[in-house]
Amino acid sequence: MKVDDAKSSNTTLPKLLLHNAQLYRDRVAMRTKYKGIWREISWQGYANRVAQFCWGLMELGMKKGDHASILGENCPEWVFADLAIQSLGGVSVGVYPTNSVEQVRYILDHSRSKVVVVKDQEQADKVLAAKADLPELQAIVVIDMKGLAHYEDPLLISYKDVEKKGAEVLAQQPEAFSEIAEATQPDDVAFIVYTSGTTGPPKGAMISHRNIIHQVITTLQPVLHFTDQDSLLSYLPLCHIFERNLSMAMPLVFGYVVNFAESIDTVQENIREISPTFFAAVPRILEKLHSSVQIKLQNSTPLKRLGFRFGEWVGKKIVPYKMKRISLPLRLRPLYGLAYLVSFRPVREKLGLLRCRCIMSGGAPIAPEVLAFFRQLGITTIEMYGLTETSGGCTGPLHEIKHGSVGQPSTGLEFKLADDGEILFKGDSVFSGYYRDDAATAEILRDGWLHTGDVGKLDDDGHLYIVDRKKDIIITSGGKNISPSEIENKLKCSPYIKEAIIVGDGRKFVTSLIQIDYDNVGNWAQNNKVAFTTYKSLATNPIIYRLIEDEVQAVNAGLAQVEKIKKFKILEKELDQDDEELTATQKVKRKVIAKRFQKEIEEMYRSA
Amino acid sequence: MAVLNDNQAYHLEVDHLTMGFGGVVALQDVSLKVRQGEIYSIIGPNGAGKTTLFNCISGIYRPQAGSIRFRGRELIGVKPHKISQSGIARAFQNIALFQGMTVLENLMAARGHLQKYGLLTAAVFLGRCKKEEALSRDRVEDIIELLDLQRVRHMPVGALPYGLQKRVELGRALAMDPQIILVDEPVSGMNLEEREDMARYLLDIHESMSLTVMIIEHDMGLVMDLSDTVTVLNFGIKIAEGKPGDIYANPEVITAYLGQA
């Protein structure tokens, strides 16, 4: 019933919240770890707290059409604030908690935020530092007041106080909230997502209620198959469209439980405690899990290693069946059962993936080898492709999963490949435009088609393969087209390589800058009695150079002649978001890096 | 830093304290007054008698002369466990934790003196026992949050790095629900980042739990940034007392401690 309503696109996120509060009432909507114990929040409680905060914001002077930002790590209050802002007809803007003062200032200013909701002292300090340049800012609402008792800024107010203000008014007129929430319209802008900006300053993509609900129902659900029995851990940044969908919008449609990690440090333990049925991750996290298993294996007993190798061997046999989603032939079943007992089960338990029915990777390209690792553990592992500008996903495997493919284009969107291979989409999920940037909007939305800027190719069954960012494709001086991210991801499969940047545009051959993984290489160095003190001493050690050289050669073996990495250089410093080398989602900024490490790059080509 | 006025009650008063070991005089006629809610630091070169002073306050040593009064009550002659029960907790320089127990267990154990239930109720875990244990856990979780120990809650203390153990040691002292906390060299052996973190935790504790904090420390930067009042000891004699800025300017202190320029 509800899904049909949504399909007819006459609903909005606040309306869905009211609906769920009535339908599910005391059922668990969220869990959050407080004082070491998982506390539950019911759907009714969820709606009440949104209502109170919403009214509190109006008491602070927010009106329909006003903008408000949210800055901080994931917590239930983040989602309450998000929906509260939307309920009063406002537009909510998420800001990455890892952003610097400068970036926070830019987004608060550009989005014309009247109110900003911050998680804690750390984030409040950033806003206070930027405050002088933000004339429109009227209040800074702080969720966790720890350490702020002696601050005397008149703009500061605690989240609880705002909530209390709202509760007082709502106690008088209990129907008031549902009246305003019902007044929200599908074509209202619900929130603005600032793209992480690998090029230039971030752009604010405006997402309407219609965009996001259409996205959830026609693109994500046919691939992910959520029910109200699912549960997942919310730990990726909520201001990113990917986690916004999973933690905020999708539960409003399907009624599953969202669990909030206790802190960023505890994600690993929290996953084990919750054992989510669905695990969404960006490549970096899956790469990390993958390499952590490899490293732990090196330090474990021979018997355990044998068990793991056996599991790997069986895994390779069963993967083709699992990916086609057909049942295993009888002869493989006992093997699978045995491998499950000696390898899959213990490994999955250690990773917290015991109950996990599906792992989804998105946000950036991932090496097929990493996906293969999870598939060999018997977990359905899929890759989806999407953009902020399409409100999330736009492709995913509907039935069969193919190695290296991001699945079929969503049936809810029109899709075509341009003559130069660029991927184009059209449909209700496509965003409403960039906020205060008509030029950029006109550039990406031409003739109603969203130009993704990615180049892809289709196979005979209609599965899409992403080649690379259009502007990142390297043309060597010999005129060959090379996709750098494909080679980079192969390199990043090595547990010793954290980041790789392929260089070669207009050059005679391909080279690479490599950042070693400090933990794993450090571990290797310890085991091999190589003395080191810091990242730099590891990075400049010739023995480590040889270790990386072997890894590069192994990758080269699988590459075409023109793609082979002839030379590489280990970076003497770690790439950092603070130095503007990485985006908030930890993607490398090629231009910045090419400029900053120009000397190193020139050296590689000069000595040729 | 807390706003101080001279009328405020003294929380802890040390009067003409003298303590010697055989021929060595560790403290000679030392007097100091600590106000309620201030951060009071004691600095001085090695062997100046700083830790001896803490040992006298917490009842481990019995001084030969003088008096120590806590909220007006004499402490000299009182047994150390009675002193800690009366509200003076101490975080030791050389970490005094149960290495084999988890962080949570260590913090819970620190509250042993506050539990009033008997062996029988504990055996069935009902009534008073259950209530008190729940209350204790609640307090301990506050401290875990304050000191950001969530990640290591269930890890044995012995397996933690040194900087974290120091933080747990501080947490153990806090778990006793004290009124004064004596912190002995909280940042010794730590790197810059750990020092900055520890300074922030000390300020947080002082602010959110409104405790009186007494610190012994060698790190002048930390002392000058945190303290309301600083006392300088040299060979058992108090040579200066005052606000951090005054201490920096005091020529006697510069000679004795900071070195002659």
Side-chain angles (χ1 to χ4, degrees):
Chain A
M1 173 66 195
K2 178 158 51 91
V3 171
D4 289 343
D5 276 353
K7 269 186 180 150
S8 67
S9 295
N10 279 325
T11 188
T12 64
L13 298 173
K15 285 183 199 173
L16 285 170
L17 174 65
L18 288 176
H19 181 105
N20 277 6
Q22 278 190 356
L23 187 70
Y24 296 127
R25 288 178 187 279
D26 293 332
R27 264 184 61 163
V28 181
M30 295 175 176
R31 285 192 206 100
T32 177
K33 206 168 183 185
Y34 177 65
K35 290 198 172 180
I37 294 171
W38 286 98
R39 322 268 164 154
E40 296 177 341
I41 298 168
S42 70
W43 278 99
Q44 190 66 56
Y46 182 2
N48 287 347
R49 293 201 55 189
V50 170
Q52 288 165 3
F53 191 67
C54 173
W55 222 267
L57 285 176
M58 292 206 287
E59 293 290 304
L60 283 181
M62 260 194 85
K63 301 185 302 290
K64 188 176 165 62
D66 284 346
H67 293 194
S69 292
I70 312 172
L71 169 58
E73 279 93 33
N74 301 8
C75 59
E77 285 81 3
W78 205 111
V79 177
F80 298 156
D82 191 15
L83 279 166
I85 295 161
Q86 293 171 28
S87 299
L88 61 83
V91 177
S92 103
V93 181
V95 188
Y96 285 101
T98 47
N99 275 0
S100 65
V101 174
E102 245 350 278
Q103 291 160 328
V104 169
R105 186 201 319 265
Y106 179 84
I107 291 177
L108 293 187
D109 177 50
H110 187 267
S111 66
R112 294 187 169 139
S113 292
K114 274 198 165 173
V115 174
V116 56
V117 180
V118 297
K119 176 80 189 282
D120 49 24
Q121 183 188 12
E122 186 190 346
Q123 310 298 347
D125 284 343
K126 289 186 198 167
V127 179
L128 289 172
K131 191 185 77 159
D133 303 322
L134 303 168
E136 303 201 41
L137 194 64
Q138 290 172 2
I140 304 168
V141 182
V142 189
I143 295 169
D144 179 0
M145 289 295 277
K146 178 178 149 190
L148 285 166
H150 291 305
Y151 283 46
E152 277 167 16
D153 196 279
L155 293 190
L156 285 173
I157 181 167
S158 84
Y159 186 95
K160 282 213 174 72
D161 288 344
V162 177
E163 213 172 37
K164 211 186 289 165
K165 273 187 188 188
E168 279 162 18
V169 179
L170 284 176
Q172 310 293 320
Q173 31 187 347
E175 292 305 307
F177 175 73
S178 50
E179 276 165 30
I180 63 154
E182 292 292 347
T184 51
Q185 292 303 315
D187 288 316
D188 291 348
V189 174
F191 52 87
I192 295 177
V193 176
Y194 276 83
T195 58
S196 52
T198 42
T199 52
K203 292 179 291 217
M206 295 186 286
I207 311 286
S208 71
H209 293 284
R210 187 190 301 283
N211 292 154
I212 189 95
I213 292 167
H214 183 266
Q215 161 69 18
V216 165
I217 289 166
T218 65
T219 302
L220 294 178
Q221 183 64 0
V223 178
L224 304 178
H225 310 288
F226 277 109
T227 69
D228 57 10
Q229 300 302 309
D230 277 305
S231 92
L232 57 79
L233 189 78
S234 174
Y235 70 101
L236 294 167
L238 261 169
C239 46
H240 192 278
I241 188 76
F242 188 28
E243 190 65 45
R244 198 68 155 280
N245 267 319
L246 289 167
S247 296
M248 193 269 292
M250 289 200 86
L252 289 176
V253 181
F254 304 109
Y256 60 79
V257 183
V258 178
N259 303 281
F260 288 90
E262 188 175 15
S263 77
I264 310 167
D265 304 335
T266 60
V267 168
Q268 280 284 316
E269 285 97 289
N270 291 160
I271 290 175
R272 272 201 294 275
E273 287 162 2
I274 292 292
S275 193
T277 60
F278 178 84
F279 185 59
V282 288
R284 181 173 286 258
I285 287 172
L286 295 177
E287 281 159 12
K288 215 173 158 185
L289 285 177
H290 173 231
S291 68
S292 78
V293 172
Q294 304 293 337
I295 293 293
K296 288 228 177 79
L297 205 62
Q298 284 175 15
N299 299 336
S300 76
T301 62
L303 188 67
K304 281 183 180 166
R305 275 203 289 275
L306 187 70
F308 185 80
R309 296 289 166 229
F310 171 69
E312 220 172 27
W313 179 72
V314 177
K316 286 202 176 103
K317 289 186 183 303
I318 57 155
V319 163
Y321 299 97
K322 289 262 176 187
M323 286 174 67
K324 287 201 174 90
R325 305 207 192 191
I326 52 181
S327 55
L328 291 178
L330 279 175
R331 63 187 167 83
L332 281 182
R333 287 189 193 178
L335 269 183
Y336 177 73
L338 188 62
Y340 184 79
L341 280 178
V342 302
S343 171
F344 302 160
R345 193 174 196 287
V347 174
R348 284 173 66 169
E349 190 161 21
K350 283 259 153 52
L351 293 173
L353 297 172
L354 199 54
R355 290 201 305 153
C356 185
R357 63 176 176 81
C358 181
I359 294 180
M360 170 189 151
S361 166
I366 187 170
E369 288 80 358
V370 176
L371 295 179
F373 165 77
F374 290 100
R375 285 178 185 145
Q376 281 163 16
L377 290 175
I379 309 169
T380 308
T381 307
I382 59 169
E383 201 179 355
M384 289 185 80
Y385 163 74
L387 293 82
T388 305
E389 289 81 358
T390 57
S391 315
C394 36
T395 74
L398 294 174
H399 186 68
E400 186 186 349
I401 303 164
K402 289 197 179 183
H403 218 64
S405 158
V406 293
Q408 290 114 307
S410 158
T411 49
L413 291 167
E414 280 182 73
F415 162 85
K416 75 174 178 192
L417 285 178
D419 296 335
D420 60 357
E422 185 173 359
I423 298 163
L424 311 181
F425 284 102
K426 193 181 204 175
D428 271 353
S429 301
V430 174
F431 78 140
S432 320
Y434 292 115
Y435 184 58
R436 293 173 66 190
D437 197 343
D438 292 336
T441 310
E443 199 189 314
I444 195 167
L445 281 174
R446 278 171 273 161
D447 314 319
W449 287 93
L450 178 87
H451 289 61
T452 60
D454 291 311
V455 175
K457 52 180 196 266
L458 282 175
D459 70 1
D460 297 339
D461 298 333
H463 284 252
L464 184 68
Y465 295 77
I466 307 289
V467 178
D468 211 326
R469 296 290 297 163
K470 200 166 143 189
K471 59 179 181 299
D472 283 348
I473 289 185
I474 292 177
I475 305 168
T476 61
S477 58
K480 297 277 184 208
N481 284 14
I482 292 169
S483 153
S485 61
E486 205 177 307
I487 308 175
E488 286 164 6
N489 286 323
K490 282 196 194 311
L491 284 170
K492 283 194 273 181
C493 266
S494 156
Y496 306 120
I497 299 177
K498 187 165 183 191
E499 205 60 77
I501 300 104
I502 294 290
V503 188
D505 204 20
R507 310 270 192 176
K508 280 204 289 279
F509 54 87
V510 173
T511 60
S512 176
L513 297 172
I514 285 171
Q515 180 193 337
I516 53 175
D517 188 300
Y518 186 40
D519 293 341
N520 292 348
V521 174
N523 195 319
W524 183 89
Q526 253 170 26
N527 290 342
N528 290 278
K529 307 222 170 5
V530 178
F532 70 100
T533 46
T534 57
Y535 175 85
K536 193 173 171 182
S537 70
L538 267 184
T540 50
N541 191 323
I543 298 171
I544 302 299
Y545 186 87
R546 281 200 290 282
L547 169 77
I548 301 297
E549 197 170 23
D550 289 344
E551 298 289 316
V552 172
Q553 290 312 333
V555 170
N556 271 344
L559 293 174
Q561 195 56 38
V562 288
E563 295 175 330
K564 284 198 198 313
I565 301 157
K566 294 274 169 15
K567 292 193 169 176
F568 70 92
K569 199 140 205 137
I570 299 175
L571 294 175
E572 288 182 17
K573 76 173 273 291
E574 292 186 86
L575 300 177
D576 202 315
Q577 194 192 338
D578 290 344
D579 295 340
E580 305 260 316
E581 291 151 349
L582 299 175
T583 68
T585 44
Q586 308 291 303
K587 291 188 207 173
V588 295
K589 294 186 175 178
R590 284 171 188 286
K591 273 190 191 152
V592 177
I593 288 171
K595 213 167 171 184
R596 189 155 299 168
F597 297 103
Q598 197 167 13
K599 202 180 92 216
E600 282 84 352
I601 294 171
E602 290 308 324
E603 262 171 29
M604 288 194 285
Y605 286 101
R606 195 176 322 123
S607 52
Chain B
M1 272 178 252
V3 186
L4 300 176
N5 59 59
D6 286 330
N7 307 330
Q8 216 175 333
Y10 291 116
H11 213 183
L12 188 82
E13 289 168 273
V14 175
D15 253 351
H16 304 290
L17 198 70
T18 298
M19 171 84 212
F21 303 97
V24 184
V25 182
L27 291 172
Q28 192 171 3
D29 202 20
V30 171
S31 298
L32 43 95
K33 288 172 174 174
V34 183
R35 290 186 187 84
Q36 170 121 32
E38 76 174 327
I39 298 185
Y40 194 107
S41 295
I42 298 159
I43 60 172
N46 285 332
K50 305 179 300 278
T51 303
T52 306
L53 177 64
F54 268 19
N55 279 337
C56 290
I57 296 173
S58 50
I60 294 169
Y61 294 157
R62 188 174 183 144
Q64 278 90 12
S67 83
I68 302 171
R69 282 187 306 278
F70 170 53
R71 291 187 298 168
R73 278 216 320 274
E74 182 59 48
L75 288 186
I76 289 177
V78 181
K79 292 249 160 55
H81 72 273
K82 291 279 178 202
I83 292 179
S84 73
Q85 277 177 23
S86 72
I88 299 180
R90 178 160 176 197
F92 290 88
Q93 182 185 354
N94 318 317
I95 302 171
L97 296 165
F98 299 108
Q99 298 284 317
M101 280 164 44
T102 66
V103 170
L104 184 66
E105 285 163 352
N106 264 292
L107 297 186
M108 289 294 281
R111 296 182 59 85
H113 68 284
L114 298 166
Q115 319 288 31
K116 301 282 183 286
Y117 56 80
L119 190 62
L120 268 178
T121 28
V124 290
F125 203 73
L126 283 172
R128 189 178 214 174
C129 169
K130 198 172 173 180
K131 222 183 287 170
E132 284 182 4
E133 285 287 323
L135 185 79
S136 277
R137 178 70 194 267
D138 194 64
R139 285 288 302 140
V140 166
E141 285 294 338
D142 279 339
I143 290 158
I144 287 178
E145 208 212 304
L146 194 73
L147 298 177
D148 289 321
L149 294 170
Q150 294 98 330
R151 191 167 58 85
V152 295
R153 191 185 277 129
H154 297 295
M155 297 249 281
V157 165
L160 299 178
Y162 180 74
L164 259 175
Q165 290 198 19
K166 284 286 252 191
R167 217 191 296 167
V168 178
E169 170 69 16
L170 182 65
R172 185 197 52 73
L174 289 175
M176 297 171 67
D177 277 348
Q179 295 172 15
I180 297 187
I181 176 164
L182 311 177
V183 190
D184 198 346
E185 301 214 9
V187 300
S188 63
M190 286 187 174
N191 65 30
L192 182 69
E193 202 184 331
E194 288 172 327
R195 279 162 193 249
E196 285 173 354
D197 282 346
M198 184 54 87
R200 215 171 29 243
Y201 290 126
L202 287 169
L203 281 176
D204 277 351
I205 290 162
H206 177 247
E207 186 177 287
S208 66
M209 302 174 91
S210 47
L211 287 179
T212 306
V213 183
M214 285 182 81
I215 303 174
I216 292 179
E217 189 46 67
H218 276 297
D219 185 328
M220 286 299 275
L222 182 95
V223 168
M224 294 304 170
D225 283 349
L226 295 186
S227 319
D228 297 302
T229 311
V230 179
T231 278
V232 187
L233 292 180
N234 193 21
F235 294 112
I237 300 165
K238 182 167 123 177
I239 56 174
E241 180 178 14
K243 297 218 160 62
D246 304 339
I247 296 292
Y248 243 144
N250 188 321
E252 214 175 328
V253 177
I254 296 171
T255 318
Y257 186 52
L258 301 173
Q260 213 152 11

